[in-house]
Amino acid sequence: MSPKRRQQTGTLFAAAGMERDAPHPLPDRLRPRTLSDVVGQDHILGPDGALTRMLATRTLGSLVFWGPPGTGKTTVARLLADATELHFEQISAVFSGVADLKKAFDAARARRETGTGTLLFVDEVHRFNRAQQDSFLPVMEDGTVVLVGATTENPSFELNAALLSRARVLVFHSLDPVAVEKLFAHAEAIEGKKLPLDAEARAVLGRMADGDGRAALTLAEEVWRSAREGETFNAAQLQDILQRRAPIYDKSADGHYNLISALHKSVRGSDPDAALYYLARMMDAGEDPLFLARRLVRMAVEDIGLADPQALVICNAAKDAYDFLGHPEGELAIAQAVIYLATAPKSNAAYKAFGAAMRAAKEGGSLLPPKHILNSPTGLMKSEGYGSGYEYDHDMPDAFSGQDYFPEPLGRQTFYDPPDRGFEREIRKRLDYWAKLRRERS
């Protein structure tokens, strides 16, 4: 070997040694080395898990990993490649384009000619547009790559149907407290020292991680950095030192829709405590209070309706109060509206009636109303019978004529069927009374 070549080789080995000796963050040092080391995903990696069953056959189809950050999606993909003896290739949809995809596909084809398969891991796969997603289809179908895509977004909404039909979706769960505690114990074993926290502070640290394993280890590392010799933090000191990690909540993503759905269903289920909890979660995460106020108006008309007509008034008043008072005083008005809605009598009769009327209107077409309720401003229209036989309700006994107002081909319909709850109990009595008069006068 020439002196120059020897010098270059020595430099490379020295650089590799320096890289090994360089400090690595705790999450990187504790990255699982085998699939059995992964915590919190027993439903796919346990003895009867979906991936365990696939690996037993030594075959692997294309997959989509769906779950929140820090749950092990990248790690599991890398370990799957090792377990199936596939070359691991990783790209990110955030930084890659068509040229990068073509390069990755060409490299996979070249490897295939030498007998080596490729597991192509695509992080944030939902960031690719529809055309880019379609480019995966040929190489998935002919076996050039085994695609493993990772996404934090709902694949049903963000990925092409053609791509989803060729891949199996596996859901990764947020880490529960038991899994987070396993990470802390593993970190303590690696570091050779206990976390300087009392029992309450340790539980608070786990909650701060919010189900994110990477965040849990990063927070643990921050605790060790912050503690002086012999110091132990309580819960209050811990929160001061770490300045509390913000909740995972993306107002444009699943977290947003999950929580507003939970709020809506808690209101519908007449549980004011749960409803207040989800309202507080969303406000704490920075949700626009006027978005919440708009959704409360929707709940008032969909789930309460005429069982309590004041519900809509209260919600609009809460919106106006927030406009007037602003943050944070105005938020109490929204919370008050939530309590009112959750404790109000529930009825979706108006919601169902409107839906039924819309279906009848679409199916019936352009039916002419009965001629007796049409105006006759011209002689021709009068000669055609427009307005003939109309009975002015205020001139009739009980201010009720009992006439039929539906188009003749359609016949009389019943859309609104109020329950015997709240104010709709009174509406029910009125409808029953008018139905009785209609039968008597028909």
Side-chain angles (χ1 to χ4, degrees), residues 249-261 282 287 291:
Y249 181 80
D250 183 345
K251 287 187 284 184
S252 66
D254 277 346
H256 168 80
Y257 296 109
N258 288 342
L259 289 185
I260 195 62
S261 175
M282 297 184 83
E287 183 57 80
F291 164 79

Side-chain angles (χ1 to χ4, degrees), residues 119-322:
L119 187 151
L120 179 61
F121 178 70
V122 183
D123 199 16
E124 303 289 338
V125 65
H126 63 276
R127 298 288 189 101
F128 279 134
N129 61 36
R130 300 186 75 83
Q132 290 169 323
Q133 290 181 33
D134 285 342
S135 70
F136 288 103
L137 303 182
V139 293
M140 292 168 66
E141 288 175 346
D142 68 10
T144 299
V145 302
V146 173
L147 175 70
V148 178
T151 178
T152 56
E153 304 298 316
N154 190 327
S156 300
F157 303 140
E158 302 296 336
L159 297 183
N160 287 2
L163 183 69
L164 282 178
S165 70
R166 292 163 173 80
R168 180 173 179 179
V169 177
L170 297 180
V171 179
F172 280 61
H173 296 163
S174 293
L175 271 59
D176 61 21
V178 173
V180 172
E181 178 55 36
K182 285 182 181 178
L183 290 180
F184 288 156
H186 189 31
E188 289 172 329
I190 294 295
E191 293 292 305
K193 55 186 176 183
K194 288 286 186 182
L195 282 165
L197 303 170
D198 65 20
E200 183 185 5
R202 191 180 182 99
V204 168
L205 185 69
R207 289 197 294 273
M208 283 182 178
D210 213 5
D212 183 329
R214 188 185 306 109
L217 295 174
T218 300
L219 290 168
E221 196 166 33
E222 285 299 312
V223 169
W224 272 312
R225 287 197 189 108
S226 303
R228 299 189 179 99
E229 185 69 30
E231 190 173 19
T232 299
F233 299 132
N234 60 29
Q237 292 169 324
L238 175 69
Q239 292 176 77
D240 285 341
I241 289 165
L242 296 181
Q243 291 298 300
R244 185 179 173 275
R245 184 172 177 270
I248 294 177
Y249 181 80
D250 183 345
K251 287 187 284 184
S252 66
D254 277 346
H256 168 80
Y257 296 109
N258 288 342
L259 289 185
I260 195 62
S261 175
L263 171 60
H264 194 151
K265 289 180 174 64
S266 298
V267 165
R268 182 182 293 153
S270 299
D271 190 335
D273 299 307
L276 283 173
Y277 167 72
Y278 290 116
L279 176 72
R281 283 272 304 273
M282 297 184 83
M283 284 185 166
D284 182 53
E287 183 57 80
D288 179 7
L290 290 178
F291 164 79
L292 295 168
R294 287 192 295 272
R295 289 304 297 254
L296 293 183
V297 168
R298 172 65 184 187
M299 296 174 205
V301 296
E302 179 179 340
D303 294 295
I304 289 135
L306 292 171
D308 186 348
Q310 283 298 307
L312 180 57
V313 177
I314 293 287
C315 290
N316 277 313
K319 182 265 293 180
D320 291 340
Y322 183 83

Side-chain angles (χ1 to χ4, degrees), residues 79-134:
L79 295 175
L80 280 178
D82 292 342
T84 53
E85 298 180 349
L86 295 172
H87 175 83
F88 182 79
E89 184 80 19
Q90 179 174 353
I91 60 174
S92 170
V94 177
F95 304 110
S96 304
V98 174
D100 302 290
L101 290 177
K102 186 176 184 304
K103 182 178 178 182
F105 297 157
D106 288 343
R109 290 188 184 96
R111 279 187 219 101
R112 194 181 185 193
E113 291 178 359
T114 65
T116 302
T118 299
L119 187 151
L120 179 61
F121 178 70
V122 183
D123 199 16
E124 303 289 338
V125 65
H126 63 276
R127 298 288 189 101
F128 279 134
N129 61 36
R130 300 186 75 83
Q132 290 169 323
Q133 290 181 33
D134 285 342

Side-chain angles (χ1 to χ4, degrees), residues 283 289 318 321-336:
M283 284 185 166
Y322 183 83
D323 272 341
F324 186 53
L325 294 174
H327 172 79
E329 291 88 351
E331 291 167 0
L332 181 57
I334 295 175
Q336 181 175 306

